């Protein structure tokens, strides 16, 4: 296997790992949305307490979404730089 081919294989492995990370975040966000939905369902629990928990869960979801967006943006830039380096090393 050529050095260039090995470099591209490493970049592909990194990209696959990042996609798996994104999938895990999506699973977490889905669980949060389900929990928020559950808090907003009619219940004998005090409405103010349920709304407060839903707001806390939504804040956590926003944090995870922002974190994922920043991580994926950074990863995309790093992968592009690696690919440009390998592509330019002909």
């Amino acid at each position: 296997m050529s050095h260039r081919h090995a470099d591209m294989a490493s970049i592909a492995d990194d990209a696959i790992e990042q996609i798996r990370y994104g999938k895990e975040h999506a699973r977490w966000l889905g669980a949060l949305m389900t929990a928020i939905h559950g808090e907003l369902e009619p219940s004998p629990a005090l409405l103010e307490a349920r709304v407060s928990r839903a707001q806390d869960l939504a804040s956590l979801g926003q944090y995870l979404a922002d974190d994922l967006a920043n991580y994926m943006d950074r990863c995309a830039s790093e992968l592009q730089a690696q690919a440009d380096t390998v592509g330019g090393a002909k």
Side-chain angles (χ1 to χ4, degrees), residues 38-59:
E39 288 296 336
L40 299 175
E41 287 290 320
S43 164
L46 185 62
L47 177 61
E48 289 174 9
R50 290 186 294 122
V51 167
S52 178
R53 284 190 300 266
Q55 288 173 326
D56 290 343
L57 290 167
S59 293

Side-chain angles (χ1 to χ4, degrees), residues 31-42:
L32 274 172
M33 297 309 105
T34 299
I36 290 170
H37 190 269
E39 288 296 336
L40 299 175
E41 287 290 320

Side-chain angles (χ1 to χ4, degrees), residues 16-75:
I16 291 166
E17 185 59 34
Q18 291 160 9
I19 290 168
R20 287 185 177 131
Y21 182 84
K23 181 182 174 189
E24 184 73 8
H25 259 68
R27 191 178 62 81
W28 293 339
L29 289 168
L32 274 172
M33 297 309 105
T34 299
I36 290 170
H37 190 269
E39 288 296 336
L40 299 175
E41 287 290 320
S43 164
L46 185 62
L47 177 61
E48 289 174 9
R50 290 186 294 122
V51 167
S52 178
R53 284 190 300 266
Q55 288 173 326
D56 290 343
L57 290 167
S59 293
L60 177 57
Q62 186 64 57
Y63 170 81
L64 287 173
D66 290 345
D67 182 61
L68 179 59
N70 290 332
Y71 174 78
M72 296 304 281
D73 186 51
R74 187 177 67 249
C75 289

